[in-house]
Amino acid sequence: MKIRDITGLPITSYDIIGDIAIVYIPDQYIDRSVDIAKAIMQVHKRIRSVFRKNPVEGEYRVRKLELIYGDPNTETITRENGIVLKLDVDRVFYSPRMSNDRLIISKSVRDGENVFVPFAGIGPYAILIAKRCQTCRVVGVEKNHVAVEYFRENVNINRVKNVEVLEGDVLDFVDLYPNWADRVIMPLPKDSYAYLRELSKVGRDKSIFHVYLFVNSSDPMGDGRAKIEQNIDYRFEILGMRRLRGYSKSIDEYVFDIQIYKKLLS
Ligand SMILES: C[S@@+](CC[C@H](N)C(=O)[O-])C[C@H]1O[C@@H](n2cnc3c(N)ncnc32)[C@H](O)[C@@H]1O
């Protein structure tokens, strides 16, 4: 049974995070919000609350949520790719839609790598990689204090010993990790490119950077390449790119996997 079959409305965009559902309801259907929430709870029996989704905003990329129906508690526990994540959906950023990309990236990590995750949030990349690669060292940096608290708790819940959690602006940690990382993961599509020049100092020669970007959907490769080129002083090669989602009519989110070369060509 689908929400559309129960309500008769074209509602298809919702996320399930633990026992919470977060649904996008266009303005014209707002007066049917409670019916939509009840339909979601009928289809997904574990759901105890349904919230209405607003766009993410601010430097912590948090969504303001409105309770439509059920328990107002916004803390929950979810699972993805075999790890457990505790979070408050109203106070931190977390998107289950990125879980497949996290798995793809974690599968490309090799034994013994040093992995740097700025914009680490509650730890989904850092913890998954640390769990899958016990010989890797993972450092995650996050600015939102609430997210950092959950990140630390999630490290303990998942019993990973090879993750270091750092709180603060990632730019304040760059000088502590010069030429340290084999891999840098930058999941901040709104302005990751603005951090590239500084963060490239953390990567070693031939390190891999996964750069999340909003790009023009009519020329994602050209737009992505230009954004990277203008913000990095090293030679680089684009190894691959993946489309993650449509963001607006003309903008899509992509992740670019790039390799940077620090040694001069002889
Ligand atoms: C789009 S979210 C991604 C969170 C997480 N990686 C995930 O996928 O669930 C970006 C995160 O970067 C954090 N952030 C933004 N600017 C930052 C900065 N300069 N230094 C450290 N963290 C920052 C935000 O608070 C937010 O949690």
Side-chain angles (χ1 to χ4, degrees):
M1 184 77 91
K2 292 197 168 128
I3 313 304
R4 178 193 284 266
D5 302 328
I6 302 170
T7 61
L9 301 175
I11 300 293
T12 50
S13 174
Y14 63 93
D15 288 326
I16 295 201
I17 303 177
D19 51 9
I20 291 176
I22 300 174
V23 59
Y24 170 68
I25 304 180
D27 288 343
Q28 70 261 40
Y29 305 130
I30 288 293
D31 57 347
R32 298 284 312 278
S33 293
V34 172
D35 296 338
I36 294 166
K38 285 183 175 172
I40 292 174
M41 289 167 114
Q42 191 181 327
V43 173
H44 302 276
K45 304 282 183 219
R46 289 186 52 221
I47 298 301
R48 68 172 160 81
S49 3
V50 180
F51 292 87
R52 183 175 180 221
K53 181 179 194 168
N54 287 304
V56 290
E57 51 185 43
E59 64 173 341
Y60 297 160
R61 313 309 295 146
V62 174
R63 296 183 189 283
K64 277 286 142 239
L65 298 175
E66 293 161 44
L67 180 67
I68 302 173
Y69 192 77
D71 181 350
N73 179 9
T74 47
E75 185 174 84
T76 189
I77 294 180
T78 189
R79 283 170 195 275
E80 64 165 60
N81 302 319
I83 63 168
V84 176
L85 297 165
K86 189 171 171 186
L87 70 149
D88 185 325
V89 292
D90 198 39
R91 300 174 75 201
V92 301
F93 176 96
Y94 169 77
S95 172
R97 297 179 188 208
M98 296 296 155
S99 67
N100 191 45
D101 200 64
R102 289 192 264 271
L103 187 61
I104 291 173
I105 291 178
S106 72
K107 283 182 174 171
S108 65
V109 174
R110 281 165 296 208
D111 279 350
E113 279 193 12
N114 288 342
V115 182
F116 194 76
V117 191
F119 325 119
I122 58 162
Y125 290 88
I127 293 169
L128 179 61
I129 289 170
K131 185 132 197 167
R132 291 179 57 95
C133 175
Q134 284 163 21
T135 57
C136 290
R137 282 183 61 199
V138 185
V139 171
V141 189
E142 170 56 49
K143 202 174 185 179
N144 174 356
H145 176 69
V146 177
V148 171
E149 298 273 283
Y150 281 111
F151 187 3
R152 293 204 168 105
E153 194 170 347
N154 290 329
V155 165
N156 291 333
I157 292 172
N158 290 281
R159 298 201 182 94
V160 282
K161 304 274 179 237
N162 47 341
V163 179
E164 190 170 351
V165 179
L166 301 175
E167 176 169 357
D169 190 316
V170 66
L171 296 178
D172 294 337
F173 294 96
V174 166
D175 290 343
L176 297 179
Y177 293 89
N179 301 309
W180 178 81
D182 299 288
R183 188 176 300 273
V184 177
I185 304 170
M186 300 178 61
L188 187 68
K190 195 173 84 55
D191 44 21
S192 60
Y193 59 91
Y195 288 86
L196 250 184
R197 182 158 283 112
E198 277 302 300
L199 287 179
S200 61
K201 295 178 183 167
V202 172
R204 289 183 172 158
D205 179 42
K206 297 192 181 149
S207 53
I208 308 281
F209 279 60
H210 303 283
V211 188
Y212 290 71
L213 286 174
F214 288 138
V215 289
N216 202 316
S217 34
S218 63
D219 182 16
M221 175 56 105
D223 192 21
R225 182 183 287 283
K227 284 198 162 90
I228 296 166
E229 236 159 34
Q230 285 156 19
N231 289 286
I232 199 162
D233 297 325
Y234 299 107
R235 196 163 61 84
F236 70 92
E237 185 185 350
I238 296 180
L239 303 178
M241 60 187 248
R242 293 181 294 287
R243 184 181 181 278
L244 300 173
R245 62 179 174 131
Y247 178 70
S248 68
K249 257 190 188 156
S250 58
I251 305 285
D252 288 341
E253 181 178 355
Y254 275 77
V255 56
F256 288 77
D257 305 324
I258 68 171
Q259 184 158 38
I260 65 166
Y261 297 93
K262 290 194 153 178
K263 292 198 176 137
L264 292 176
L265 292 174
S266 50

